[in-house]
Each structure stands twice: as C-alpha cells, then as structure tokens.
Amino acid sequence: MILSIPLIITNKKVQEVLIEEITTEISKKSEGEITVGGIDFSFFSGLILEDVTLKDPYGNLVADINKFHLDVKWRKLFRKKLIINNIILDNPTFHLITNNKGETNLQFFIDIFPKPEKKIEIPDILLELGTLQIINGDFQFDNTDRPYSKKSGFDPAHFRLKELNTDISIDYASKDSLYAHLNELSVTERNGLKLDNLSFTFGVGKKQMYINPLKIKLPSSTVLVDELSLKYDSLSQVFSTETLKKNVRITFSLKNAKVYGKDLKSLVPELENLNKPFIANGRVSYYNNNLDLHGFQATYGDNMLMKLSTTVRGI
C-alpha cells in the first residue's frame, strides 16, 4: 500500500482532484478566491502549476501567475539537505495594497494559517538553490491612505514595476550563514526609472556580511562597488541603530561610478538637464561614530567637485 502512494500522487486525474479540493477549501476559509488552471507533478520534473489566480474577498486581483515551477530533490531531505533545482515564476502579476497601519490585502489569506503557540525552531537543514527566476513580472504597490503625487516621476506610495526579471542562486544557506548570488535584476518603473541590470554576490556569517562586487547598470550610467562589508561581533548588532553606529565596522568602496542625471530624472526631475556625468571614486569606512573618507573624489564632467581624505568624528 505504501509503495503505491508515489504512483497515486503522480496520477494526473488524482492531482486535478486534489488541487480542486485544496483550492476550494482555501477559498472557503479565506472568503477570497484561489484557482489553479492546471497541475503536473512528478518526482523527476517537480511541481508545475498553471494559471494560478488569487483574489481578495471583494473580487480584486492580488496575484496572477501564468506558470509556477518548483523542482526539488526530495530524497536529500532525509540527509538534512534541501536542494531546490529551480523555482520559476513565469509572467507573474502582483498587486499589494496597504495603509498607514501596515494592513495589507493579503491579510485574508494569512489569517487562514494558524498562529504557532510558541516560537518555531528553525531546523538545522542545509539549503541549496540552483535558480530562482521571475520572468517578465509585474508588481504594483498602493498605499490607500496616501494620495497620488501631483508631481511627475516616481511616487513611493503608488508605483508599478514592469518587465521585472530576476535570477537568484544560493550556494549555501544554514541557520547562521548564507552565500548567494543575484545574477540578474532588471525592471522598468512606469514613471520612467529603468534598471538595466543589478548583480552582486552576497554573504553573511557570524562575524561579517558583504556584497562584493555590486554592479548597477542604468541606460547610460554604470556603478561598480568594489567592496561593501559589515563586520560585527554579533549579527544582532546590525539591526539596532545604536549598536550599528558604535560596534559595526562598515566599509564601502566605489570605482569609477559614472551617473548621468537623465537616468535619475524620475526620482529628481531637476537632474534631467545635466548632460555630463558625475564620476565618483574612493573608499568610505564608518566605525564607532566616526566616518573616514580615503582618497574620495567626485567630478562633474571636467570639473572637480570634491577631493579629500579626512575623518569626521562624532557622527
């Protein structure tokens, strides 16, 4: 009987009946609506869901995903290792609505899951992720308590990200460390801000966090951060303003960062008519309320705006 279970759950008809019962039950409990147009599961190719739609109790669209693919090496779980070959979201659309109290249009869905009576212990499992991809995503955000900005350009209370594409991989993740790569992030905001690509390698451990190198590409601008690191005695120091300023050593290094004003006009409209690039080089470090600038210089075109090496104390 037990040996027949894998054959049962990989049967197409059984999968369709199960997903219908699950979505019906979730819709009933949440008072919203979740539908799945198609399902395909096998232990070799993973789980594929097609035409996934989530609507709130008022019938407003929260999420719509053309195709979701999750491929996991299930047998590795017995060795305390979770290996995910890929997670792919193809043509997903999300609409997040919130207010000044922090309430969101996802609360109806969150409430169907029981709250744990005590703190959940994170299992000691090693995680590896081949790739997390979002293909041609669309994300819209609105704060209903804040009016639309009358000014042109980016509105942080009401924005929409289109043509969102990401590629993330995790080489190693455990309870106290992480080593990952953002291989690609590109997106266009509806008011004109365009990010051609953002990429970096990210690591965090018991004593250090780093992003190295960080590359930003806008239509005409390029920024290379050679080094961005935080060193600490305990990771908890990073999440407190007081200990962050006093106990965490922060280092930031720029190399030939070249930025054109027109790339940032949706954030600062006044920059649109600045035709020459801003170029910055140098190393900045901060520790124990002191800011150190090492060989830092900034130019606009052929004009030197700043060139200095100094320490500013008591910040």
Side-chain angles (χ1 to χ4, degrees):
M1 180 66 181
I2 295 176
L3 294 175
S4 66
I5 291 177
L7 295 176
I8 294 173
I9 63 176
T10 54
N11 181 276
K12 188 71 173 178
K13 290 294 183 182
V14 173
Q15 292 173 8
E16 291 174 353
V17 171
L18 283 175
I19 200 68
E20 178 66 24
E21 291 185 358
I22 292 170
T23 55
T24 299
E25 186 64 19
I26 292 175
S27 297
K28 183 179 178 181
K29 285 187 176 181
S30 68
E31 298 183 358
E33 181 184 0
I34 181 169
T35 60
V36 176
I39 179 172
D40 185 22
F41 173 77
S42 77
F43 289 101
F44 300 102
S45 61
L47 173 67
I48 297 175
L49 299 177
E50 295 181 337
D51 299 322
V52 181
T53 301
L54 177 65
K55 294 182 180 180
D56 68 16
Y58 306 101
N60 300 312
L61 184 68
V62 177
D64 181 72
I65 304 171
N66 181 53
K67 186 176 181 180
F68 170 79
H69 184 195
L70 172 65
D71 184 8
V72 178
K73 291 185 177 179
W74 303 100
R75 289 179 296 178
K76 294 291 185 178
L77 283 173
F78 295 104
R79 303 177 187 176
K80 291 188 175 182
K81 181 180 288 189
L82 176 58
I83 299 179
I84 302 175
N85 290 330
N86 56 61
I87 301 174
I88 301 175
L89 297 171
D90 189 3
N91 278 276
T93 298
F94 302 101
H95 188 187
L96 179 62
I97 300 174
T98 187
N99 56 28
N100 289 340
K101 296 179 181 179
E103 300 167 336
T104 75
N105 59 337
L106 284 172
Q107 196 60 48
F108 79 97
F109 186 72
I110 296 172
D111 288 343
I112 68 174
F113 300 98
K115 295 181 180 179
E117 296 181 359
K118 57 182 181 179
K119 186 178 178 181
I120 299 175
E121 291 292 330
I122 300 175
D124 189 15
I125 294 178
L126 175 66
L127 169 66
E128 294 179 16
L129 171 62
T131 180
L132 166 60
Q133 287 184 309
I134 297 177
I135 302 171
N136 197 29
D138 191 312
F139 176 79
Q140 185 171 341
F141 173 86
D142 289 292
N143 185 330
T144 55
D145 285 340
R146 294 181 62 181
Y148 282 85
S149 175
K150 296 181 180 180
K151 298 180 179 180
S152 61
F154 181 74
D155 182 352
H158 303 276
F159 62 85
R160 183 178 179 184
L161 306 178
K162 301 182 295 181
E163 299 172 356
L164 173 62
N165 292 279
T166 70
D167 183 351
I168 301 169
S169 58
I170 299 175
D171 291 347
Y172 178 95
S174 65
K175 293 174 65 174
D176 54 19
S177 60
L178 170 68
Y179 185 69
H181 308 272
L182 175 61
N183 303 306
E184 176 193 0
L185 171 59
S186 61
V187 68
T188 300
E189 206 280 320
R190 65 181 170 189
N191 287 307
L193 182 63
K194 184 177 182 182
L195 175 64
D196 284 345
N197 194 39
L198 169 66
S199 64
F200 57 79
T201 294
F202 174 75
V204 58
K206 294 180 179 180
K207 298 292 182 178
Q208 181 178 1
M209 180 186 304
Y210 67 88
I211 295 176
N212 181 24
L214 184 149
K215 301 176 183 178
I216 303 172
K217 180 72 175 67
L218 304 178
S220 300
S221 307
T222 55
V223 176
L224 173 61
V225 178
D226 264 352
E227 177 187 10
L228 175 56
S229 65
L230 287 77
K231 295 182 179 180
Y232 40 77
D233 296 321
S234 168
L235 183 59
S236 61
Q237 293 176 337
V238 175
F239 303 104
S240 166
T241 302
E242 183 177 347
T243 56
L244 178 66
K245 293 174 63 177
K246 188 175 182 180
N247 302 106
V248 178
R249 186 179 300 276
I250 303 171
T251 304
F252 178 83
S253 179
L254 280 174
K255 185 177 181 180
N256 291 325
K258 181 183 293 186
V259 179
Y260 284 84
K262 60 184 179 181
D263 285 338
L264 304 177
K265 65 180 181 180
S266 64
L267 299 176
V268 186
E270 293 79 10
L271 295 178
E272 181 176 7
N273 295 321
L274 298 178
N275 298 319
K276 297 178 181 180
F278 290 92
I279 300 176
N281 286 278
R283 187 169 181 268
V284 180
S285 60
Y286 184 89
Y287 178 68
N288 196 19
N289 298 312
N290 296 325
L291 178 69
D292 292 317
L293 301 175
H294 308 274
F296 190 85
Q297 65 179 41
T299 62
Y300 173 64
D302 296 328
N303 301 314
M304 180 67 68
L305 301 178
M306 180 188 301
K307 185 176 183 180
L308 52 84
S309 294
T310 188
T311 298
V312 183
R313 303 185 183 278
I315 295 179

